[in-house]
Amino acid sequence: MGKIRMMVYVVITLLVSIFVVISGLSQDDVKTVEDSAFEEKMRPPVPFLHDEHNEKAEIEECNVCHHVYEDGEKVEDDSSEDQECSDCHTLNKGDNPLSLVKIYHLQCRGCHQEKKAGPIMCSECHPR
Ligand code: HEC
Ligand code: HEC
Ligand code: HEC
Ligand code: HEC
């Protein structure tokens, strides 16, 4: 390979990897909920087309889901989208009254029940 071709090759490879890194951190790529804390899952990943879902559901604020609490109160102008739910909510109950499964069900199904829109049945969120 000539020197110039080599340089072009190196630059392109760099650009591609930068793109992959950036898009890997973007929420448009989120198509399922697959919390890494569940070690042995009983069910396949839950389909969740992040951006499309939130547009259809007309949810404006990220912290409707990615919330932050302080002294038991939700902080209105802060959000936690840089964290997984399980960074704060442990797999098993422990000291917390809500296990990781419960918080997902409370948030997802809870809103669907309240809004009378979106899936409520197990099999609608957990396709076999
Ligand atoms: C209806 C709830 C909900 C709303 C509203 C929401 N998100 Fe998310 N978001 C999630 C869930 C659930 C995940 C996946 C969590 C997991 O698998 O750990 C996620 C994941 C993410 C991720 C992580 C992507 C990755 O690759 O790890 C980012 C970044 C993110 N959301 C940003 C945002 C931003 C920015 C907003 C507001 C514009 C927003 N979210 C609104 C529920 C929501
Ligand atoms: C930065 C830490 C943090 C992150 C990240 C976080 N939570 Fe929470 N969450 C809390 C705290 C603190 C509370 C208050 C009650 C408690 O101590 O469990 C709470 C309460 C809840 C509750 C019960 C009250 C309510 O709002 O209905 C649900 C449900 C919940 N979280 C779901 C989620 C989901 C789903 C995610 C991921 C999309 C998430 N949380 C991410 C800290 C967090
Ligand atoms: C704050 C309210 C709210 C929360 C939280 C929420 N949803 Fe929804 N969801 C909706 C609404 C409203 C619809 C119906 C949208 C429509 O089609 O008009 C919906 C629809 C859906 C659908 C049907 C297909 C689609 O994408 O429109 C799926 C699947 C779904 N939600 C999964 C989830 C999961 C999984 C979570 C938790 C990670 C979640 N939702 C959290 C409000 C919410
Ligand atoms: C509105 C959507 C929704 C509905 C309805 C729902 N779930 Fe879930 N469930 C979730 C999400 C989101 C998670 C987190 C998945 C993950 O991170 O892998 C979850 C996690 C789980 C888990 C732990 C992860 C695993 O695979 O072992 C179990 C078990 C589970 N759900 C069972 C049920 C059962 C049983 C029902 C019906 C009574 C039900 N779910 C209804 C959304 C839903």
Side-chain angles (χ1 to χ4, degrees), residues 9-55:
Y9 177 77
V10 167
V11 167
I12 288 174
T13 311
L14 258 173
L15 285 177
V16 167
S17 37
I18 288 169
F19 178 77
V20 166
V21 166
I22 290 172
S23 55
L25 297 173
S26 152
Q27 67 269 24
D28 354 305
D29 285 347
V30 176
K31 306 259 187 285
T32 56
V33 186
E34 244 178 300
D35 201 300
S36 63
F38 291 113
E39 285 144 2
E40 258 181 54
K41 287 194 216 265
M42 297 194 276
R43 291 159 181 273
V46 175
F48 178 64
L49 302 172
H50 192 279
D51 288 9
E52 199 182 303
H53 172 274
N54 296 342
E55 235 166 78

mmCIF file of all heavy atoms in Angstrom, residues 9-55:
data_model
loop_
_atom_site.group_PDB
_atom_site.id
_atom_site.type_symbol
_atom_site.label_atom_id
_atom_site.label_comp_id
_atom_site.label_asym_id
_atom_site.label_seq_id
_atom_site.Cartn_x
_atom_site.Cartn_y
_atom_site.Cartn_z
ATOM 1 N N TYR A 9 -6.756 5.303 4.513
ATOM 2 C CA TYR A 9 -7.324 4.131 5.169
ATOM 3 C C TYR A 9 -7.410 4.345 6.693
ATOM 4 O O TYR A 9 -8.435 4.104 7.325
ATOM 5 C CB TYR A 9 -6.448 2.921 4.834
ATOM 6 C CG TYR A 9 -6.881 1.659 5.503
ATOM 7 C CD1 TYR A 9 -7.972 0.949 5.019
ATOM 8 C CD2 TYR A 9 -6.211 1.177 6.622
ATOM 9 C CE1 TYR A 9 -8.388 -0.211 5.637
ATOM 10 C CE2 TYR A 9 -6.616 0.025 7.249
ATOM 11 C CZ TYR A 9 -7.708 -0.673 6.753
ATOM 12 O OH TYR A 9 -8.101 -1.816 7.384
ATOM 13 N N VAL A 10 -6.312 4.871 7.247
ATOM 14 C CA VAL A 10 -6.265 5.095 8.697
ATOM 15 C C VAL A 10 -7.317 6.121 9.110
ATOM 16 O O VAL A 10 -8.060 5.928 10.081
ATOM 17 C CB VAL A 10 -4.848 5.562 9.134
ATOM 18 C CG1 VAL A 10 -4.872 6.105 10.554
ATOM 19 C CG2 VAL A 10 -3.855 4.414 9.008
ATOM 20 N N VAL A 11 -7.426 7.209 8.321
ATOM 21 C CA VAL A 11 -8.382 8.268 8.653
ATOM 22 C C VAL A 11 -9.819 7.731 8.593
ATOM 23 O O VAL A 11 -10.623 7.974 9.489
ATOM 24 C CB VAL A 11 -8.198 9.499 7.726
ATOM 25 C CG1 VAL A 11 -9.365 10.451 7.856
ATOM 26 C CG2 VAL A 11 -6.888 10.208 8.058
ATOM 27 N N ILE A 12 -10.110 6.977 7.539
ATOM 28 C CA ILE A 12 -11.473 6.443 7.403
ATOM 29 C C ILE A 12 -11.801 5.503 8.569
ATOM 30 O O ILE A 12 -12.857 5.594 9.177
ATOM 31 C CB ILE A 12 -11.654 5.720 6.041
ATOM 32 C CG1 ILE A 12 -11.685 6.767 4.922
ATOM 33 C CG2 ILE A 12 -12.943 4.902 6.026
ATOM 34 C CD1 ILE A 12 -11.717 6.198 3.529
ATOM 35 N N THR A 13 -10.859 4.654 8.900
ATOM 36 C CA THR A 13 -11.089 3.725 10.007
ATOM 37 C C THR A 13 -11.366 4.491 11.298
ATOM 38 O O THR A 13 -12.268 4.159 12.067
ATOM 39 C CB THR A 13 -9.855 2.823 10.223
ATOM 40 O OG1 THR A 13 -9.475 2.298 8.956
ATOM 41 C CG2 THR A 13 -10.155 1.702 11.178
ATOM 42 N N LEU A 14 -10.604 5.570 11.507
ATOM 43 C CA LEU A 14 -10.792 6.395 12.700
ATOM 44 C C LEU A 14 -12.183 7.018 12.722
ATOM 45 O O LEU A 14 -12.884 6.954 13.729
ATOM 46 C CB LEU A 14 -9.758 7.519 12.704
ATOM 47 C CG LEU A 14 -8.577 7.309 13.630
ATOM 48 C CD1 LEU A 14 -7.547 8.403 13.426
ATOM 49 C CD2 LEU A 14 -9.052 7.295 15.082
ATOM 50 N N LEU A 15 -12.576 7.605 11.585
ATOM 51 C CA LEU A 15 -13.878 8.258 11.502
ATOM 52 C C LEU A 15 -14.997 7.262 11.778
ATOM 53 O O LEU A 15 -15.931 7.551 12.503
ATOM 54 C CB LEU A 15 -14.082 8.894 10.117
ATOM 55 C CG LEU A 15 -13.285 10.183 9.890
ATOM 56 C CD1 LEU A 15 -13.493 10.702 8.474
ATOM 57 C CD2 LEU A 15 -13.666 11.252 10.908
ATOM 58 N N VAL A 16 -14.872 6.085 11.187
ATOM 59 C CA VAL A 16 -15.904 5.064 11.381
ATOM 60 C C VAL A 16 -15.979 4.678 12.860
ATOM 61 O O VAL A 16 -17.059 4.597 13.436
ATOM 62 C CB VAL A 16 -15.646 3.823 10.502
ATOM 63 C CG1 VAL A 16 -16.525 2.659 10.932
ATOM 64 C CG2 VAL A 16 -15.889 4.157 9.038
ATOM 65 N N SER A 17 -14.824 4.516 13.501
ATOM 66 C CA SER A 17 -14.905 4.082 14.896
ATOM 67 C C SER A 17 -15.440 5.191 15.792
ATOM 68 O O SER A 17 -16.154 4.925 16.753
ATOM 69 C CB SER A 17 -13.584 3.523 15.412
ATOM 70 O OG SER A 17 -12.512 4.235 14.892
ATOM 71 N N ILE A 18 -15.127 6.452 15.448
ATOM 72 C CA ILE A 18 -15.688 7.562 16.232
ATOM 73 C C ILE A 18 -17.214 7.561 16.093
ATOM 74 O O ILE A 18 -17.940 7.679 17.064
ATOM 75 C CB ILE A 18 -15.103 8.924 15.781
ATOM 76 C CG1 ILE A 18 -13.643 9.029 16.240
ATOM 77 C CG2 ILE A 18 -15.914 10.076 16.364
ATOM 78 C CD1 ILE A 18 -12.889 10.191 15.631
ATOM 79 N N PHE A 19 -17.680 7.364 14.854
ATOM 80 C CA PHE A 19 -19.116 7.337 14.601
ATOM 81 C C PHE A 19 -19.787 6.224 15.404
ATOM 82 O O PHE A 19 -20.816 6.421 16.033
ATOM 83 C CB PHE A 19 -19.387 7.150 13.108
ATOM 84 C CG PHE A 19 -20.843 7.067 12.775
ATOM 85 C CD1 PHE A 19 -21.615 8.219 12.745
ATOM 86 C CD2 PHE A 19 -21.442 5.853 12.518
ATOM 87 C CE1 PHE A 19 -22.968 8.154 12.468
ATOM 88 C CE2 PHE A 19 -22.797 5.775 12.237
ATOM 89 C CZ PHE A 19 -23.561 6.927 12.211
ATOM 90 N N VAL A 20 -19.156 5.052 15.411
ATOM 91 C CA VAL A 20 -19.731 3.913 16.123
ATOM 92 C C VAL A 20 -19.806 4.216 17.624
ATOM 93 O O VAL A 20 -20.816 3.946 18.270
ATOM 94 C CB VAL A 20 -18.909 2.630 15.863
ATOM 95 C CG1 VAL A 20 -19.274 1.534 16.837
ATOM 96 C CG2 VAL A 20 -19.115 2.163 14.425
ATOM 97 N N VAL A 21 -18.760 4.843 18.152
ATOM 98 C CA VAL A 21 -18.744 5.158 19.576
ATOM 99 C C VAL A 21 -19.859 6.157 19.903
ATOM 100 O O VAL A 21 -20.641 5.959 20.827
ATOM 101 C CB VAL A 21 -17.368 5.713 20.017
ATOM 102 C CG1 VAL A 21 -17.461 6.352 21.386
ATOM 103 C CG2 VAL A 21 -16.341 4.596 20.024
ATOM 104 N N ILE A 22 -19.969 7.225 19.093
ATOM 105 C CA ILE A 22 -20.988 8.242 19.357
ATOM 106 C C ILE A 22 -22.389 7.640 19.251
ATOM 107 O O ILE A 22 -23.210 7.802 20.131
ATOM 108 C CB ILE A 22 -20.854 9.443 18.381
ATOM 109 C CG1 ILE A 22 -19.582 10.216 18.716
ATOM 110 C CG2 ILE A 22 -22.070 10.358 18.494
ATOM 111 C CD1 ILE A 22 -19.255 11.287 17.705
ATOM 112 N N SER A 23 -22.644 6.896 18.176
ATOM 113 C CA SER A 23 -24.000 6.386 18.001
ATOM 114 C C SER A 23 -24.315 5.312 19.038
ATOM 115 O O SER A 23 -25.458 5.122 19.414
ATOM 116 C CB SER A 23 -24.233 5.884 16.588
ATOM 117 O OG SER A 23 -23.270 4.924 16.258
ATOM 118 N N GLY A 24 -23.288 4.643 19.531
ATOM 119 C CA GLY A 24 -23.489 3.648 20.577
ATOM 120 C C GLY A 24 -24.012 4.249 21.871
ATOM 121 O O GLY A 24 -24.634 3.573 22.673
ATOM 122 N N LEU A 25 -23.775 5.544 22.050
ATOM 123 C CA LEU A 25 -24.221 6.189 23.271
ATOM 124 C C LEU A 25 -25.563 6.898 23.092
ATOM 125 O O LEU A 25 -26.046 7.562 23.973
ATOM 126 C CB LEU A 25 -23.180 7.228 23.722
ATOM 127 C CG LEU A 25 -21.817 6.669 24.091
ATOM 128 C CD1 LEU A 25 -20.838 7.779 24.361
ATOM 129 C CD2 LEU A 25 -21.929 5.759 25.297
ATOM 130 N N SER A 26 -26.152 6.747 21.911
ATOM 131 C CA SER A 26 -27.343 7.525 21.631
ATOM 132 C C SER A 26 -28.605 6.737 21.921
ATOM 133 O O SER A 26 -28.669 5.532 21.724
ATOM 134 C CB SER A 26 -27.304 7.950 20.172
ATOM 135 O OG SER A 26 -28.599 8.128 19.685
ATOM 136 N N GLN A 27 -29.625 7.464 22.386
ATOM 137 C CA GLN A 27 -30.860 6.777 22.740
ATOM 138 C C GLN A 27 -31.674 6.326 21.536
ATOM 139 O O GLN A 27 -32.575 5.530 21.677
ATOM 140 C CB GLN A 27 -31.707 7.632 23.687
ATOM 141 C CG GLN A 27 -32.264 8.900 23.078
ATOM 142 C CD GLN A 27 -31.348 10.108 23.250
ATOM 143 O OE1 GLN A 27 -30.141 9.969 23.414
ATOM 144 N NE2 GLN A 27 -31.913 11.285 23.196
ATOM 145 N N ASP A 28 -31.346 6.855 20.295
ATOM 146 C CA ASP A 28 -32.153 6.377 19.166
ATOM 147 C C ASP A 28 -31.881 4.913 18.891
ATOM 148 O O ASP A 28 -32.639 4.264 18.200
ATOM 149 C CB ASP A 28 -31.950 7.099 17.822
ATOM 150 C CG ASP A 28 -31.061 8.288 17.879
ATOM 151 O OD1 ASP A 28 -31.380 9.157 18.708
ATOM 152 O OD2 ASP A 28 -30.088 8.355 17.121
ATOM 153 N N ASP A 29 -30.760 4.430 19.403
ATOM 154 C CA ASP A 29 -30.432 3.028 19.170
ATOM 155 C C ASP A 29 -31.120 2.091 20.138
ATOM 156 O O ASP A 29 -31.061 0.895 19.964
ATOM 157 C CB ASP A 29 -28.927 2.825 19.344
ATOM 158 C CG ASP A 29 -28.170 3.373 18.163
ATOM 159 O OD1 ASP A 29 -28.810 3.660 17.141
ATOM 160 O OD2 ASP A 29 -26.955 3.511 18.288
ATOM 161 N N VAL A 30 -31.740 2.638 21.161
ATOM 162 C CA VAL A 30 -32.365 1.770 22.149
ATOM 163 C C VAL A 30 -33.657 1.212 21.566
ATOM 164 O O VAL A 30 -34.575 1.939 21.249
ATOM 165 C CB VAL A 30 -32.646 2.527 23.474
ATOM 166 C CG1 VAL A 30 -33.386 1.641 24.455
ATOM 167 C CG2 VAL A 30 -31.352 3.031 24.078
ATOM 168 N N LYS A 31 -33.676 -0.129 21.388
ATOM 169 C CA LYS A 31 -34.842 -0.784 20.782
ATOM 170 C C LYS A 31 -35.468 -1.781 21.760
ATOM 171 O O LYS A 31 -36.536 -2.310 21.511
ATOM 172 C CB LYS A 31 -34.429 -1.545 19.511
ATOM 173 C CG LYS A 31 -33.679 -0.681 18.486
ATOM 174 C CD LYS A 31 -34.589 -0.230 17.363
ATOM 175 C CE LYS A 31 -33.847 0.483 16.244
ATOM 176 N NZ LYS A 31 -33.463 1.865 16.621
ATOM 177 N N THR A 32 -34.742 -2.062 22.813
ATOM 178 C CA THR A 32 -35.232 -2.994 23.834
ATOM 179 C C THR A 32 -34.779 -2.512 25.214
ATOM 180 O O THR A 32 -33.822 -1.756 25.314
ATOM 181 C CB THR A 32 -34.623 -4.410 23.655
ATOM 182 O OG1 THR A 32 -33.204 -4.289 23.659
ATOM 183 C CG2 THR A 32 -35.091 -5.086 22.393
ATOM 184 N N VAL A 33 -35.475 -2.967 26.230
ATOM 185 C CA VAL A 33 -34.982 -2.765 27.589
ATOM 186 C C VAL A 33 -34.295 -4.060 27.989
ATOM 187 O O VAL A 33 -34.903 -5.128 27.946
ATOM 188 C CB VAL A 33 -36.117 -2.464 28.589
ATOM 189 C CG1 VAL A 33 -35.540 -2.106 29.954
ATOM 190 C CG2 VAL A 33 -36.997 -1.348 28.081
ATOM 191 N N GLU A 34 -33.038 -3.924 28.343
ATOM 192 C CA GLU A 34 -32.224 -5.102 28.649
ATOM 193 C C GLU A 34 -31.268 -4.714 29.754
ATOM 194 O O GLU A 34 -30.098 -4.468 29.501
ATOM 195 C CB GLU A 34 -31.406 -5.436 27.396
ATOM 196 C CG GLU A 34 -31.719 -6.749 26.786
ATOM 197 C CD GLU A 34 -30.894 -6.976 25.529
ATOM 198 O OE1 GLU A 34 -30.994 -6.186 24.581
ATOM 199 O OE2 GLU A 34 -30.151 -7.964 25.522
ATOM 200 N N ASP A 35 -31.794 -4.585 30.930
ATOM 201 C CA ASP A 35 -30.949 -4.120 32.025
ATOM 202 C C ASP A 35 -29.871 -5.158 32.335
ATOM 203 O O ASP A 35 -30.173 -6.339 32.499
ATOM 204 C CB ASP A 35 -31.807 -3.848 33.260
ATOM 205 C CG ASP A 35 -31.110 -2.918 34.214
ATOM 206 O OD1 ASP A 35 -30.009 -3.280 34.689
ATOM 207 O OD2 ASP A 35 -31.630 -1.835 34.493
ATOM 208 N N SER A 36 -28.635 -4.694 32.409
ATOM 209 C CA SER A 36 -27.520 -5.626 32.579
ATOM 210 C C SER A 36 -27.515 -6.298 33.948
ATOM 211 O O SER A 36 -26.795 -7.272 34.157
ATOM 212 C CB SER A 36 -26.194 -4.899 32.362
ATOM 213 O OG SER A 36 -26.043 -3.892 33.333
ATOM 214 N N ALA A 37 -28.313 -5.801 34.883
ATOM 215 C CA ALA A 37 -28.299 -6.382 36.223
ATOM 216 C C ALA A 37 -29.025 -7.726 36.299
ATOM 217 O O ALA A 37 -28.745 -8.529 37.182
ATOM 218 C CB ALA A 37 -28.920 -5.414 37.227
ATOM 219 N N PHE A 38 -29.963 -7.959 35.375
ATOM 220 C CA PHE A 38 -30.644 -9.257 35.382
ATOM 221 C C PHE A 38 -29.664 -10.296 34.870
ATOM 222 O O PHE A 38 -29.271 -10.270 33.704
ATOM 223 C CB PHE A 38 -31.876 -9.246 34.480
ATOM 224 C CG PHE A 38 -32.994 -8.384 34.983
ATOM 225 C CD1 PHE A 38 -33.370 -7.241 34.295
ATOM 226 C CD2 PHE A 38 -33.672 -8.711 36.145
ATOM 227 C CE1 PHE A 38 -34.407 -6.435 34.762
ATOM 228 C CE2 PHE A 38 -34.713 -7.909 36.620
ATOM 229 C CZ PHE A 38 -35.078 -6.771 35.923
ATOM 230 N N GLU A 39 -29.266 -11.208 35.731
ATOM 231 C CA GLU A 39 -28.245 -12.158 35.316
ATOM 232 C C GLU A 39 -28.849 -13.249 34.455
ATOM 233 O O GLU A 39 -28.452 -13.451 33.325
ATOM 234 C CB GLU A 39 -27.537 -12.735 36.532
ATOM 235 C CG GLU A 39 -26.583 -11.703 37.128
ATOM 236 C CD GLU A 39 -26.504 -11.765 38.627
ATOM 237 O OE1 GLU A 39 -27.164 -12.639 39.241
ATOM 238 O OE2 GLU A 39 -25.784 -10.923 39.205
ATOM 239 N N GLU A 40 -29.822 -13.924 35.004
ATOM 240 C CA GLU A 40 -30.457 -14.984 34.244
ATOM 241 C C GLU A 40 -31.880 -14.584 33.969
ATOM 242 O O GLU A 40 -32.732 -14.615 34.847
ATOM 243 C CB GLU A 40 -30.437 -16.284 35.045
ATOM 244 C CG GLU A 40 -29.357 -17.211 34.550
ATOM 245 C CD GLU A 40 -29.340 -18.500 35.314
ATOM 246 O OE1 GLU A 40 -30.398 -19.154 35.395
ATOM 247 O OE2 GLU A 40 -28.264 -18.836 35.856
ATOM 248 N N LYS A 41 -32.109 -14.179 32.738
ATOM 249 C CA LYS A 41 -33.446 -13.707 32.428
ATOM 250 C C LYS A 41 -34.369 -14.868 32.128
ATOM 251 O O LYS A 41 -33.998 -15.837 31.489
ATOM 252 C CB LYS A 41 -33.400 -12.787 31.222
ATOM 253 C CG LYS A 41 -32.795 -11.447 31.555
ATOM 254 C CD LYS A 41 -33.088 -10.477 30.438
ATOM 255 C CE LYS A 41 -31.923 -9.545 30.224
ATOM 256 N NZ LYS A 41 -32.088 -8.303 30.946
ATOM 257 N N MET A 42 -35.623 -14.742 32.586
ATOM 258 C CA MET A 42 -36.615 -15.764 32.296
ATOM 259 C C MET A 42 -37.285 -15.470 30.964
ATOM 260 O O MET A 42 -37.887 -16.316 30.364
ATOM 261 C CB MET A 42 -37.661 -15.791 33.397
ATOM 262 C CG MET A 42 -37.045 -16.166 34.719
ATOM 263 S SD MET A 42 -38.255 -16.604 35.958
ATOM 264 C CE MET A 42 -38.728 -15.019 36.589
ATOM 265 N N ARG A 43 -37.190 -14.202 30.551
ATOM 266 C CA ARG A 43 -37.914 -13.773 29.357
ATOM 267 C C ARG A 43 -36.978 -13.053 28.400
ATOM 268 O O ARG A 43 -35.966 -12.509 28.821
ATOM 269 C CB ARG A 43 -39.051 -12.842 29.770
ATOM 270 C CG ARG A 43 -40.127 -13.602 30.518
ATOM 271 C CD ARG A 43 -40.981 -12.690 31.348
ATOM 272 N NE ARG A 43 -41.984 -13.487 32.058
ATOM 273 C CZ ARG A 43 -43.160 -13.827 31.562
ATOM 274 N NH1 ARG A 43 -43.496 -13.443 30.344
ATOM 275 N NH2 ARG A 43 -43.996 -14.537 32.258
ATOM 276 N N PRO A 44 -37.335 -13.039 27.099
ATOM 277 C CA PRO A 44 -36.492 -12.308 26.147
ATOM 278 C C PRO A 44 -36.568 -10.798 26.404
ATOM 279 O O PRO A 44 -37.470 -10.349 27.120
ATOM 280 C CB PRO A 44 -37.098 -12.651 24.782
ATOM 281 C CG PRO A 44 -38.378 -13.363 25.026
ATOM 282 C CD PRO A 44 -38.483 -13.694 26.464
ATOM 283 N N PRO A 45 -35.622 -10.027 25.822
ATOM 284 C CA PRO A 45 -35.627 -8.575 26.036
ATOM 285 C C PRO A 45 -36.976 -7.939 25.667
ATOM 286 O O PRO A 45 -37.666 -8.423 24.782
ATOM 287 C CB PRO A 45 -34.546 -8.073 25.080
ATOM 288 C CG PRO A 45 -33.676 -9.229 24.808
ATOM 289 C CD PRO A 45 -34.522 -10.446 24.958
ATOM 290 N N VAL A 46 -37.327 -6.890 26.361
ATOM 291 C CA VAL A 46 -38.611 -6.216 26.152
ATOM 292 C C VAL A 46 -38.487 -5.185 25.025
ATOM 293 O O VAL A 46 -37.682 -4.263 25.135
ATOM 294 C CB VAL A 46 -39.043 -5.518 27.462
ATOM 295 C CG1 VAL A 46 -40.309 -4.695 27.256
ATOM 296 C CG2 VAL A 46 -39.233 -6.540 28.571
ATOM 297 N N PRO A 47 -39.270 -5.330 23.956
ATOM 298 C CA PRO A 47 -39.193 -4.368 22.856
ATOM 299 C C PRO A 47 -39.575 -2.968 23.350
ATOM 300 O O PRO A 47 -40.581 -2.811 24.031
ATOM 301 C CB PRO A 47 -40.233 -4.870 21.845
ATOM 302 C CG PRO A 47 -40.519 -6.276 22.236
ATOM 303 C CD PRO A 47 -40.265 -6.388 23.700
ATOM 304 N N PHE A 48 -38.745 -1.995 23.021
ATOM 305 C CA PHE A 48 -39.003 -0.618 23.461
ATOM 306 C C PHE A 48 -38.262 0.314 22.514
ATOM 307 O O PHE A 48 -37.059 0.525 22.653
ATOM 308 C CB PHE A 48 -38.519 -0.444 24.912
ATOM 309 C CG PHE A 48 -38.667 0.941 25.479
ATOM 310 C CD1 PHE A 48 -39.930 1.514 25.654
ATOM 311 C CD2 PHE A 48 -37.545 1.682 25.850
ATOM 312 C CE1 PHE A 48 -40.065 2.801 26.197
ATOM 313 C CE2 PHE A 48 -37.671 2.962 26.396
ATOM 314 C CZ PHE A 48 -38.935 3.514 26.571
ATOM 315 N N LEU A 49 -38.972 0.821 21.502
ATOM 316 C CA LEU A 49 -38.348 1.710 20.520
ATOM 317 C C LEU A 49 -38.285 3.105 21.138
ATOM 318 O O LEU A 49 -39.208 3.909 20.989
ATOM 319 C CB LEU A 49 -39.159 1.718 19.218
ATOM 320 C CG LEU A 49 -39.330 0.342 18.557
ATOM 321 C CD1 LEU A 49 -40.301 0.409 17.394
ATOM 322 C CD2 LEU A 49 -37.979 -0.204 18.100
ATOM 323 N N HIS A 50 -37.208 3.327 21.881
ATOM 324 C CA HIS A 50 -37.061 4.497 22.756
ATOM 325 C C HIS A 50 -37.663 5.794 22.195
ATOM 326 O O HIS A 50 -38.654 6.296 22.704
ATOM 327 C CB HIS A 50 -35.568 4.671 23.059
ATOM 328 C CG HIS A 50 -35.268 5.642 24.145
ATOM 329 N ND1 HIS A 50 -35.243 6.999 23.942
ATOM 330 C CD2 HIS A 50 -35.004 5.452 25.459
ATOM 331 C CE1 HIS A 50 -34.947 7.596 25.081
ATOM 332 N NE2 HIS A 50 -34.799 6.694 26.016
ATOM 333 N N ASP A 51 -37.077 6.315 21.124
ATOM 334 C CA ASP A 51 -37.497 7.642 20.655
ATOM 335 C C ASP A 51 -38.904 7.621 20.070
ATOM 336 O O ASP A 51 -39.695 8.531 20.299
ATOM 337 C CB ASP A 51 -36.502 8.172 19.619
ATOM 338 C CG ASP A 51 -35.195 8.567 20.281
ATOM 339 O OD1 ASP A 51 -35.007 8.279 21.482
ATOM 340 O OD2 ASP A 51 -34.336 9.169 19.604
ATOM 341 N N GLU A 52 -39.183 6.555 19.309
ATOM 342 C CA GLU A 52 -40.505 6.443 18.691
ATOM 343 C C GLU A 52 -41.588 6.335 19.772
ATOM 344 O O GLU A 52 -42.635 6.970 19.689
ATOM 345 C CB GLU A 52 -40.490 5.190 17.820
ATOM 346 C CG GLU A 52 -41.561 5.142 16.768
ATOM 347 C CD GLU A 52 -41.470 3.834 15.990
ATOM 348 O OE1 GLU A 52 -40.380 3.566 15.416
ATOM 349 O OE2 GLU A 52 -42.458 3.089 15.980
ATOM 350 N N HIS A 53 -41.292 5.521 20.783
ATOM 351 C CA HIS A 53 -42.230 5.362 21.900
ATOM 352 C C HIS A 53 -42.521 6.716 22.549
ATOM 353 O O HIS A 53 -43.673 7.081 22.771
ATOM 354 C CB HIS A 53 -41.649 4.395 22.941
ATOM 355 C CG HIS A 53 -42.450 4.310 24.210
ATOM 356 N ND1 HIS A 53 -42.276 5.192 25.257
ATOM 357 C CD2 HIS A 53 -43.447 3.475 24.584
ATOM 358 C CE1 HIS A 53 -43.123 4.885 26.228
ATOM 359 N NE2 HIS A 53 -43.850 3.852 25.847
ATOM 360 N N ASN A 54 -41.474 7.454 22.857
ATOM 361 C CA ASN A 54 -41.658 8.684 23.616
ATOM 362 C C ASN A 54 -42.341 9.771 22.796
ATOM 363 O O ASN A 54 -43.059 10.602 23.340
ATOM 364 C CB ASN A 54 -40.320 9.155 24.183
ATOM 365 C CG ASN A 54 -39.769 8.143 25.169
ATOM 366 O OD1 ASN A 54 -40.504 7.295 25.663
ATOM 367 N ND2 ASN A 54 -38.479 8.217 25.442
ATOM 368 N N GLU A 55 -42.124 9.715 21.481
ATOM 369 C CA GLU A 55 -42.823 10.651 20.610
ATOM 370 C C GLU A 55 -44.311 10.332 20.573
ATOM 371 O O GLU A 55 -45.147 11.205 20.764
ATOM 372 C CB GLU A 55 -42.258 10.526 19.196
ATOM 373 C CG GLU A 55 -41.776 11.846 18.629
ATOM 374 C CD GLU A 55 -40.923 11.610 17.401
ATOM 375 O OE1 GLU A 55 -41.531 11.346 16.346
ATOM 376 O OE2 GLU A 55 -39.676 11.658 17.515
#
